[in-house]
Amino acid sequence: MMTVNNITISKTTSKKEKPDQTQLGFGQYFTDHMFILDYTEGKGWHDPRIVPYQPITLEPSAMIFHYGQTVFEGMKAYLSEDGDIHLFRPEKNIQRLNRSNDRMRIPEVDETLALQAIKELVKVDADWVPSEPGTSLYIRPYIISTEPFLGVAPSKHYKFMVILSPVGAYYKEGINPVKIAVENEFVRAVKGGTGEAKTAGNYASSLKAQALVASQGYAQVMWLDGIEKKYIEEVGSMNVFFKIDGEVVTPELNGSILEGVTRNSVMELLKHWGITVTERKITVEEIFEAHKNGKLEEAFGSGTAAVISPIGTLAWDGKEIVINDSKTGEVSKKLYDTLTNIQYGKETDVFDWIVKLER
Amino acid sequence: MMTVNNITISKTTSKKEKPDQTQLGFGQYFTDHMFILDYTEGKGWHDPRIVPYQPITLEPSAMIFHYGQTVFEGMKAYLSEDGDIHLFRPEKNIQRLNRSNDRMRIPEVDETLALQAIKELVKVDADWVPSEPGTSLYIRPYIISTEPFLGVAPSKHYKFMVILSPVGAYYKEGINPVKIAVENEFVRAVKGGTGEAKTAGNYASSLKAQALVASQGYAQVMWLDGIEKKYIEEVGSMNVFFKIDGEVVTPELNGSILEGVTRNSVMELLKHWGITVTERKITVEEIFEAHKNGKLEEAFGSGTAAVISPIGTLAWDGKEIVINDSKTGEVSKKLYDTLTNIQYGKETDVFDWIVKLER
Ligand SMILES: Cc1ncc(COP(=O)(O)O)c(C=O)c1O
Ligand SMILES: Cc1ncc(COP(=O)(O)O)c(C=O)c1O
């Protein structure tokens, strides 16, 4: 046992066998260690520790099972060309975690400690960062409410944990466009709700619509605003961009859209390249209209998992449009290449986005 | 070990000490046993069993901790005058559980088995049904997604559990009206969302608004619709009724309101008594207008916990109205008395609502 930055580290005595790096998939394998930090009312957050990866034991009345007070984050560690481990803008995820905490009435975590915890954990499990092209180590920080009490009130106890999962290349045969269907019945989030927080309930509520469009041959749902069912919000678990007549637009943050780290990075890159990018309200009607007038050049989702996911086909209200001949657009491709190149250290990190782990 | 109705029963060898019945509160104490039923994709629900009350052990990647796919129910067992144990319309809760399951993409449970499970569990822990006036045994059936997988998709494994908690009298000094504030910023649920399902995310999302109104001296939030913020939906975790000019109205079910068992029972009773009760859209403006015209006679919430909770003060948009001099109205009182009398077997159960447990 040792202590680094106040974090106690107890290493496992029996390391697991590593899975085949070409068959990783997503979120199926977990590493040898995890980080845990406890919260007790009156005492605050305490006992930061890295321990062997192990099951969690909770009372059947633990609040997480009943009232869903919980938040999470998702980010990745990348093995760079020269053998370093890279995190991509981790402070953004930690800031978002605290914004989610605020919405869900979970006590905020110390951002410096949270970043240290993630760094130390990845260092302890550094041999789990995969090296096959396109692979990475997915990092999942999350907080659950653990007080054994049945009643709708903020929990008095929480656990902040970080687990790690080596994940495969999202695109095995190169980036390729998907078919998306606009959702008219079900809603992911609404103004005044929890859409801008990364919290479990938003994902649970999306499953039914996702299953419905999947049965019709679409990969993901495009979510509209819950009030007028007119304005585009997100696509699946990604933010969304459209290139119309040379300019790029993305839905403005309105309280029901998650503020993606990739979304922000895409906007920074576009500005850097001199391409106009505007955050504003976008109706699905406008997108279909732009397509009709031959002005809809590209459409894509952005998120940590896929980085950039081009939209090849968009269905809405019985109509279907094919965007850019269902090929990956020039800007989509350039964004994907630049972002992944920065992440894997193949391109200069002009924005200082990378946090290198000293090993 | 024995088996009843296919349910295996393993009794505890060390019973807990029972808490003081005058100090029970709500959801703090749990009985000696719990019911568990497992679901595995391909195999369905299997292994119904009653076991000693015990912690749940799950992988850190169990989906419940990340994506919130879960549903629950809440009902009570009452000790009747003549020593029988009464359940109140339990089939309604089980049907609602399956409606919630459908919305959350959780496989439906066999309703006969679920009812058997609840009955057998309460029988095993019959000595936990408290006898002090107004006390009862709260029954919490719930389903959690347990597959160890990080990805937004329905889980392939679930656990259906039932736990029991002896709870105190909701009103220690008689039924008394509370102060309620209409919420204009935050939203509990919206059409197309999960409001009509009894699922964790709806409750997590309500905490922030609840804390805000509590800090201003109000007991609960009155929720408006998420679209126009005009129509009244619920109050706290209760349905809501208004008596205006001799008639009773309640918000119509619209997809974002939970269909309460108490709500339904209130409507049945009112009809039985010849009082007109209408389900329709109700604006908060209309309620304030009715008050101004001297026509707002009563307002109350309905739910399993409080049965009937009269609203004495209602705040909205900087205005505050006092309803019926902040006294419990005649109809509110009669509903409360009749419902609790039926539950505790003090009044004829003309509607056949009570399910008696043979001991
Ligand atoms: C609902 C939702 N929108 C958008 C995103 C994209 O965010 P980021 O780019 O930070 O991964 C995610 C994934 O994190 C998400 O879950
Ligand atoms: C959101 C919400 N509305 C209404 C109710 C009232 O329902 P019931 O009368 O079935 O207890 C409850 C409690 O169960 C609830 O959680």
Side-chain angles (χ1 to χ4, degrees), chain A residues 41-194:
Chain A
E41 200 184 59
K43 195 171 171 184
W45 290 105
H46 59 89
D47 286 328
R49 58 199 186 273
I50 289 171
V51 295
Y53 190 82
Q54 59 193 265
I56 302 169
T57 297
L58 294 172
E59 287 298 306
S61 57
M63 294 180 85
I64 178 66
F65 297 137
H66 305 272
Y67 305 112
Q69 199 194 6
T70 177
V71 296
F72 70 95
E73 267 305 326
M75 55 202 291
K76 287 174 170 178
Y78 309 86
L79 195 65
S80 84
E81 293 274 276
D82 40 20
D84 286 327
I85 295 175
H86 285 180
L87 300 181
F88 183 75
R89 314 186 78 184
E91 69 288 351
K92 285 255 167 207
N93 292 88
I94 294 166
Q95 287 156 7
R96 187 169 65 188
L97 186 73
N98 267 338
R99 290 201 303 277
S100 300
N101 279 338
D102 177 68
R103 180 62 184 85
M104 307 314 292
R105 293 279 299 171
I106 295 175
E108 72 170 11
V109 297
D110 182 287
E111 297 184 2
T112 308
L113 173 62
L115 183 55
Q116 293 288 10
I118 289 166
K119 283 177 164 179
E120 289 309 323
L121 180 63
V122 173
K123 278 199 249 175
V124 168
D125 278 337
D127 54 347
W128 281 89
V129 185
S131 55
E132 281 287 312
T135 62
S136 58
L137 185 68
Y138 183 75
I139 303 170
R140 167 58 55 91
Y142 62 118
I143 300 176
I144 59 172
S145 44
T146 56
E147 187 189 353
F149 172 59
L150 297 186
V152 183
S155 177
K156 296 192 173 98
H157 310 291
Y158 302 88
K159 269 185 190 305
F160 171 44
M161 293 176 283
V162 184
I163 58 176
L164 306 174
S165 171
V167 299
Y170 194 90
Y171 299 108
K172 288 205 170 142
E173 285 124 22
I175 176 171
N176 66 318
V178 291
K179 293 178 73 172
I180 300 288
V182 174
E183 176 58 45
N184 272 313
E185 185 186 353
F186 294 105
V187 160
R188 188 193 85 92
V190 70
K191 195 163 184 309
T194 56

Side-chain angles (χ1 to χ4, degrees), chain A residues 72-75 88 92-93 96 138 140 188 195 197-198 202-203 223 233-240 256-265 302-307, chain B residues 67 152:
Chain A
F72 70 95
E73 267 305 326
M75 55 202 291
F88 183 75
K92 285 255 167 207
N93 292 88
R96 187 169 65 188
Y138 183 75
R140 167 58 55 91
R188 188 193 85 92
K198 210 162 161 69
N202 297 339
Y203 299 84
W223 300 105
E233 299 218 321
E234 304 202 31
V235 47
S237 293
M238 293 183 289
N239 295 114
V240 64
S256 55
I257 292 174
L258 190 84
E259 187 174 352
V261 178
T262 319
R263 175 184 184 275
N264 180 279
S265 310
S302 77
T304 295
V307 186
Chain B
Y67 306 112
V152 183

Side-chain angles (χ1 to χ4, degrees), chain B residues 269-323:
Chain B
L269 278 175
L270 291 172
K271 282 179 208 159
H272 184 66
W273 295 335
I275 297 173
T276 305
V277 52
T278 312
E279 298 175 75
R280 62 168 172 85
K281 289 187 171 195
I282 303 165
T283 63
V284 53
E285 198 168 350
E286 167 188 355
I287 297 302
F288 273 67
E289 193 62 24
H291 178 266
K292 201 162 131 196
N293 301 333
K295 295 193 166 164
L296 180 61
E297 295 154 359
E298 303 185 34
F300 58 90
S302 76
T304 296
V307 186
I308 298 295
S309 176
I311 301 172
T313 300
L314 187 61
W316 173 56
D317 218 12
K319 297 172 291 239
E320 224 185 46
I321 57 174
V322 174
I323 302 166

